[in-house]
Structure formats: C-alpha cells, structure tokens
Amino acid sequence: MRCVLASLCISAALDPVPIHPASQYVETVGTHPNGVLQMVKAPDTQPLPVLHLKGTAAQRGEAAGVLMAETIATFADKVFDDYVVALVQSVDLHGLPDWLATLIKQAVGKKVAVPVLTDALKWVSQKQDGHVHDAHDKSTQIFDEIAGIAKGVCDTLGADACQSRLGGQQAFTDRIKIVNYLPELIRMSCSMVGATKTATTHGSLVQLRSLDFGAVPFSNYGMMVVHHQEAKEGERPDAFAMVSFPGFVGAVTGLNSAGLVQSEKVSYNARSAGYNQTCIKPGGVDIYGCVPGTYDGEGVLGTTR
C-alpha cells in the first residue's frame, strides 16, 4: 500500500500544472471609449480581470475608474477596514521617524490603526511624490491617472454615493494616491528568477515573477492591465501589460510588445536607514537581517514607479 501511495504522490508531483489558452475563456464585460474590461475564467482558477486602456494618463485613469468602479471602491475600503490592523502590524519600523514609529507601536485595534495607517501613508507620499515626479520626466502623468480613476469611480457611482461612501472625488483621489504607496510603507518584496542559455531547454531567456508577498487584500484582487499607445502611421501600436491591483498605477511586473520584461523588487540600502553594519547577502539571500533603505527615493519606487 505504501508503495502504491508513494507512486501516486510522485506521479502527482511530476504532473505539470495545466496551462489553459486564455483566449478560450475570455469574456468582455465592459467597454468605454478609452478601455475594455475582460474577464478570464479558466477551469479551477480565480477569475482574472484584464483591463485594456488607451489615451492620455487622465483618459486611461477615467476609463479604469468607470469600468471597475465598484471593485476599486471596495478594494480601497478593505485596505482601511478589514485588513488595517494586520497591515499596520506588518510595517518595518527601520528608517521611520521616531514619532511615526511610536504611533505604529501603539496602534492596537482598528479604531487607532485607521488614522495611524493614513498618517503613515501620507508621510511616505510626502517623501516620495517629488521622486515619482522626477522619475516620469518631471510630468504629472502618474497623478493625472490617479485623479482620472477617482473621477471615473465617482461618475459611475453617482455624486451622492461618492460623497457618502468615499468622501467626495478629491478625498477619494487622495486616498487612491496613498494606497498606491502601501507597498512602499510595508516594503513588499517578491520572488523572481531568470534563466537563459544552458539553464533552459531552449537556450532562450525565461523570466518568472511571483507577487507572493501574500498579504490580503492583494492576494484576492490580482488583475492584468494592458496600456495601448496610439499607433504611428504604418507601424504596429506599442503596448505593455502589467500585473496590478484595482486603483494602482505604474508597474512592478510586466512586459511590453517589444519583448522587454520587468521584475522590479524592493531596493536595500542598509546604511542609509541607520543600520551601522555591512549588509552582506550571500547569493542574494538576506540571512543577516539587512533592513531596507530610507524613504528618500533611494529605494525602488514600488508600484508607483
């Protein structure tokens, strides 16, 4: 019996994970002059929203807000409602000012955690807004897209619901912006691997990235966003796709139509965070407990990049 069970276990372990052709399971669930929302419902998988967007940053944002209004509003609610205590408790205090570290330590219970998380995210926003602006050719496109998302959500939900549930369009714009800094505050980091030449069966590059930080509500709200640029005459339009979350802008994981792939990870700068020992990571593994850098733009700019 043991032999039979062992054989079954080995067989199961060696069976490849099924790959379903997404095109066979795609359903269009919403359209907008600047976007299309599709849903991929493959067997034995969680439905995956795929959002196609085009136009200016503000137009893309508004289309996203219209097509995913309820999902975006619900996701933002869950950050500050269902999971706020767990998120505050997950914050690494290294590199934070003493006053903020003290508030986080004392944030016991939801009633205290909500304003503390808000203050912490606002602090990160104040530190990073300028760096985000500079990283995008000193343009406001990231913030234009966020404002567009808020407009689309509020236009879809209606003025009364926007005011009563979200605090109004400007307040929701501000909330979406600070939620985009959540990966910065809790310093999310994920697994990745790249292989090429003799390390692969075909000799070409294989890149894998898993958004496995495991924190809710992110684990239940994964989606794909595809941004399409306007086609130049006689040329194929460029596009880039990224793994994202409702209301998030920028990219940490994705690929473009030219074949360039991106797997961005948190940047470590131990000394700048006040860690007075040399940060040694054998084979890239942080076995000595190095700490992330400060919030002065030295670290990778998370999802807002």
Side-chain angles (χ1 to χ4, degrees):
M1 177 63 73
R2 290 180 180 177
C3 180
V4 173
L5 290 176
S7 299
L8 290 173
C9 290
I10 293 173
S11 175
L14 295 178
D15 283 344
V17 176
I19 299 177
H20 302 288
S23 60
Q24 297 180 11
Y25 304 97
V26 174
E27 176 187 0
T28 297
V29 295
T31 60
H32 180 275
N34 290 97
V36 174
L37 176 62
Q38 297 178 318
M39 196 69 69
V40 180
K41 299 179 180 179
D44 301 319
T45 64
Q46 180 174 304
L48 177 69
V50 179
L51 183 62
H52 295 266
L53 301 170
K54 67 177 183 178
T56 66
Q59 290 171 336
R60 296 195 308 272
E62 184 173 348
V66 169
L67 292 168
M68 301 196 71
E70 183 58 39
T71 302
I72 292 171
T74 300
F75 181 81
D77 286 343
K78 286 185 175 295
V79 168
F80 288 95
D81 190 2
D82 297 358
Y83 306 114
V84 63
V85 174
L87 289 170
V88 170
Q89 292 175 345
S90 69
V91 175
D92 187 333
L93 302 181
H94 289 96
L96 296 178
D98 292 341
W99 66 268
L100 183 53
T102 299
L103 286 177
I104 292 173
K105 289 179 183 177
Q106 297 174 347
V108 179
K110 178 179 173 181
K111 186 175 180 180
V112 179
V114 170
V116 168
L117 179 63
T118 302
D119 287 345
L121 289 170
K122 286 181 178 178
W123 179 82
V124 176
S125 175
Q126 291 170 0
K127 300 286 285 185
Q128 293 287 51
D129 279 357
H131 299 292
V132 173
H133 180 265
D134 292 344
H136 291 84
D137 301 322
K138 300 188 183 299
S139 75
T140 60
Q141 58 180 311
I142 285 290
F143 306 113
D144 293 344
E145 187 175 348
I146 289 172
I149 291 172
K151 181 180 185 305
V153 170
C154 285
D155 286 351
T156 302
L157 296 183
D160 291 344
C162 177
Q163 185 64 46
S164 61
R165 179 178 174 184
L166 307 176
Q169 184 173 319
Q170 185 56 54
F172 194 54
T173 299
D174 296 338
R175 171 162 283 200
I176 293 174
K177 187 177 82 166
I178 63 174
V179 168
N180 269 266
Y181 280 117
L182 189 57
E184 298 292 312
L185 176 65
I186 64 179
R187 289 151 171 164
M188 291 177 176
S189 59
C190 310
S191 304
M192 66 180 73
V193 63
T196 189
K197 297 183 179 178
T198 58
T200 66
T201 58
H202 45 65
S204 299
L205 174 67
V206 172
Q207 179 168 319
L208 303 176
R209 169 67 181 272
S210 174
L211 295 175
D212 55 355
F213 45 80
V216 288
F218 294 92
S219 55
N220 297 325
Y221 281 87
M223 60 180 295
M224 290 288 297
V225 181
V226 186
H227 290 269
H228 300 266
Q229 294 183 343
E230 296 294 334
K232 298 178 182 178
E233 187 175 353
E235 295 183 7
R236 182 180 178 181
D238 293 327
F240 67 91
M242 62 189 188
V243 180
S244 189
F245 306 97
F248 271 62
V249 296
V252 289
T253 296
L255 69 158
N256 68 12
S257 52
L260 179 66
V261 293
Q262 175 196 24
S263 291
E264 192 165 345
K265 190 173 176 69
V266 66
S267 177
Y268 287 82
N269 187 333
R271 289 186 179 277
S272 69
Y275 189 71
N276 60 6
Q277 300 179 31
T278 302
C279 184
I280 302 174
K281 294 199 280 185
V285 180
D286 183 14
I287 64 174
Y288 295 110
C290 298
V291 295
T294 67
Y295 293 95
D296 288 320
E298 296 170 343
V300 174
L301 295 178
T303 346
T304 345
R305 187 66 182 240

